[in-house]
Amino acid sequence: MRGDVLGRMNIAGELRDALRSDGLHVAYQPIVDLATGRIVALEALARWTNEAGEPMAPDVFIPVAEETGLIVALDGWVLDSAVAQVAAWRALRPAPAPLCVHVNVSPITFRTPGFADAVLACLERHDVHAADVLLEITETQMMGEDPPTLQAMEALHTAGIGVAIDDFGTGCSSLGYVRRKFVDVIKIDRSLITGLDSDPDQRRIAAALLAVVDAFGLTAVAEGVQTEAEVAALRQLGCRYGQGYLWGEARPAAELAVFRPEVV
Ligand code: C2E
Ligand code: CA
Ligand code: CA
């Protein structure tokens, strides 16, 4: 237990230094149209290699960042990097097909006073349109009908910035946000997608969630798609978009073929 606490304190200290010295980077994973295979968006994911040169998993450092409050700076840094990257892609000639970049925002960051204004200021600073960015907020830690979260969602929605509920189907508190129409995209958690083609119960749950998405006129993205059989099952159920290792892991911007000038 003591070692665990010390380990987390170490992570927090190193992460604080990494944030000060630009020691993190962002990798981008494609989100594709299941009918055509065309990339329609990219999800920005934080990547960090610690002082010992070991890559640290977000599942390890994001919870530490949330416990220590560092998450607000981390989310802000990832947002700024991703928006700067969008501006750089937009400046390419010939211009690549328009893509939306999804940025993860912790529920803790989302409810911070001034968050929506900071997002708008970031877009203005880089001269990027609201439609080019979408914010993903995780369902599991979302506080049910939290007034500061609702206010931020409304302000972002009014400004034309899309909001997605991430890991949908793992928590139980986000239907209120869906009902209030401040949400545009639902990302169906990987745990509900794996084995969808062979497990009838899994299929029933996915069908029910997709019916909710449809009833509210939202867009669904299936997470963690790894097989063509899952793609076929998702298409049968009417899910339009997917993301997963089937189309590739997250990669640094420079390695994304879609944005190399010679292929656009
Ligand atoms: P997430 O937002 O649900 O992101 C998707 C995660 O699933 C990523 O893990 C991605 O690499 C992984 N993944 C994608 N396709 C597949 C697949 O087919 N199979 C499997 N097994 N995994 C797949 P990653 O990058 O390790 O991130 C883990 C979580 O950390 C993210 O889950 C997100 O909740 C959080 N995270 C990452 N970057 C940020 C950030 O900048 N801010 C915040 N607040 N959270 C972040
Ligand atoms: Ca996400
Ligand atoms: Ca997710």
Side-chain angles (χ1 to χ4, degrees):
M1 174 94 112
R2 192 157 168 266
D4 199 41
V5 171
L6 285 176
R8 296 172 91 75
M9 280 169 63
N10 263 342
I11 293 173
E14 287 193 22
L15 186 59
R16 189 172 289 115
D17 291 344
L19 278 166
R20 279 201 201 109
S21 60
D22 266 358
L24 291 132
H25 73 274
V26 180
Y28 297 87
Q29 187 182 32
I31 296 173
V32 307
D33 184 328
L34 296 177
T36 60
R38 200 171 70 83
I39 298 176
V40 292
L42 295 165
E43 178 172 2
L45 292 157
R47 294 288 177 261
W48 175 40
T49 303
N50 72 5
E51 286 163 17
E54 299 152 348
M56 301 288 286
D59 287 337
V60 173
F61 69 81
I62 295 289
V64 175
E66 287 181 327
E67 277 164 28
T68 53
L70 284 172
I71 193 70
V72 177
L74 188 150
D75 284 345
W77 185 87
V78 173
L79 176 72
D80 195 72
S81 305
V83 172
Q85 189 60 66
V86 171
W89 283 327
R90 288 280 177 273
L92 288 176
R93 291 292 172 267
L99 284 185
C100 180
V101 171
H102 291 212
V103 178
N104 290 284
V105 178
S106 163
I108 297 169
T109 308
F110 217 98
R111 68 191 308 283
T112 307
F115 171 68
D117 287 341
V119 174
L120 296 178
C122 176
L123 293 184
E124 203 174 309
R125 199 163 54 244
H126 294 287
D127 196 18
V128 162
H129 299 298
D132 294 344
V133 176
L134 185 142
L135 304 177
E136 297 192 1
I137 178 166
T138 312
E139 170 168 77
T140 39
Q141 306 140 344
M142 267 171 93
M143 291 140 285
E145 305 264 341
D146 175 52
T149 305
L150 277 171
Q151 274 165 19
M153 275 188 184
E154 188 173 11
L156 292 164
H157 190 79
T158 307
I161 299 173
V163 172
I165 306 271
D166 207 349
D167 305 339
F168 193 72
T170 58
C172 55
S173 56
S174 52
L175 282 172
Y177 295 93
V178 170
R179 202 183 54 221
R180 284 170 188 254
K181 307 205 165 50
F182 298 150
V183 168
D184 307 273
V185 171
I186 296 291
K187 297 193 75 174
I188 300 181
D189 191 63
R190 180 172 81 228
S191 60
L192 300 168
I193 302 300
T194 308
L196 183 78
D197 49 302
S198 52
D199 180 342
D201 286 340
Q202 196 82 321
R203 204 183 163 90
R204 278 185 205 108
I205 295 172
L209 292 182
L210 286 164
V212 170
V213 170
D214 205 40
F216 284 91
L218 306 176
T219 301
V221 177
E223 300 195 275
V225 180
Q226 301 200 136
T227 67
E228 290 292 354
E230 287 164 359
V231 172
L234 284 164
R235 289 186 63 184
Q236 254 181 14
L237 291 173
C239 179
R240 181 139 182 226
Y241 301 102
Q243 176 181 3
Y245 293 163
L246 182 62
W247 301 281
E249 292 180 23
R251 294 183 182 286
E255 291 176 23
L256 290 174
V258 70
F259 287 117
R260 280 199 215 111
E262 67 270 19
V263 297
V264 290

